[in-house]
Amino acid sequence: MTTQQAMKADDRVNGIDVDRLQGTIEAIKAAPALARFTFRAANRWMKGGHSRTSIQGFWGAGAYNERESFVIDSAEPGLILGGDEAPNPFEYILHALLACLTTTFVYHAALRGVRVQAVESRIEGDLDLHGFLGLREDIPRGFHEIRATLRVRADCAEPKLRELVQLAQQRSPVFEMMTSAVRLSLTCEVM
């Protein structure tokens, strides 16, 4: 490792280049439009409860950003007449929530100089198929309760740790999307 690489490694907290993150914050303060992002995905039904999503570039920081394509399959478990080829959409939502909470926690800890040694998390979501199947209108079609736990080991006292977990909840974009109304429109186009 060169001296320059060693110095760069020292500028990182929790694997985050804090100077670069601070630079991003300052750039957005100076030019708020840089904060606007549009992420895209395209899905194709395969068969039964199985579909495949392709995720490629995105719009952000004032430009289109090319990147390698990601392919994600989704399917239903056999118990719900699927082939169990992949996690179902509900499981991806739980994954997205935990991943976002974890990332938000680690980034905000890094900004505050708190070094994190480990983060482990668990999540459960309860739903009832009556709403999805149209059997009962009074039952939500999605999760009606989600319980998540972050287990963290970091170089700070427990009150600071709890404060950072609360901050992760307050700043997590996925947490906010799941707990507030998001404008969503759906159109149909004939193939």
Side-chain angles (χ1 to χ4, degrees):
M1 177 183 287
T2 68
T3 305
Q4 194 171 27
Q5 288 172 324
M7 286 176 54
K8 272 297 192 200
D10 291 341
D11 291 343
R12 294 179 179 272
V13 178
N14 308 329
I16 307 299
D17 184 334
V18 177
D19 290 339
R20 189 169 166 210
L21 180 55
Q22 286 286 7
T24 299
I25 292 168
E26 293 306 316
I28 290 171
K29 284 180 182 177
L34 292 176
R36 295 189 190 108
F37 280 69
T38 300
F39 294 99
R40 298 179 174 118
N43 183 274
R44 179 177 298 274
W45 171 68
M46 305 304 284
K47 67 176 180 175
H50 182 200
S51 66
R52 179 165 292 145
T53 299
S54 174
I55 300 169
Q56 294 181 336
F58 61 93
W59 177 266
Y64 184 75
N65 296 269
E66 291 285 342
R67 68 176 176 183
E68 193 170 321
S69 178
F70 299 100
V71 176
I72 302 170
D73 280 23
S74 181
E76 295 298 334
L79 188 62
I80 315 175
L81 307 177
D84 219 359
E85 298 93 343
N88 71 24
F90 291 109
E91 292 163 322
Y92 278 115
I93 287 171
L94 295 176
H95 159 71
L97 178 56
L98 278 185
C100 191
L101 285 167
T102 299
T103 300
T104 304
F105 174 85
V106 170
Y107 274 49
H108 282 278
L111 280 170
R112 286 154 182 78
V114 174
R115 296 197 182 275
V116 176
Q117 289 81 39
V119 180
E120 296 176 0
S121 51
R122 293 183 316 275
I123 194 164
E124 296 178 333
D126 300 329
L127 65 96
D128 184 325
L129 293 181
H130 280 92
F132 166 71
L133 296 173
L135 300 173
R136 299 235 339 240
E137 292 301 319
D138 62 324
I139 294 181
R141 290 169 296 286
F143 288 123
H144 61 269
E145 184 175 350
I146 296 175
R147 296 167 301 283
T149 302
L150 292 181
R151 294 181 63 226
V152 181
R153 186 171 61 246
D155 68 353
C156 65
E158 188 175 332
K160 180 70 170 179
L161 197 58
R162 292 189 184 288
E163 179 184 314
L164 285 168
V165 169
Q166 184 65 33
L167 186 62
Q169 179 176 312
Q170 292 169 346
R171 296 287 177 231
S172 164
V174 175
F175 186 93
E176 181 176 321
M177 285 188 301
M178 292 189 65
T179 57
S180 64
V182 175
R183 283 180 300 197
L184 191 147
S185 62
L186 176 65
T187 59
C188 179
E189 298 174 356
V190 177
M191 294 172 73

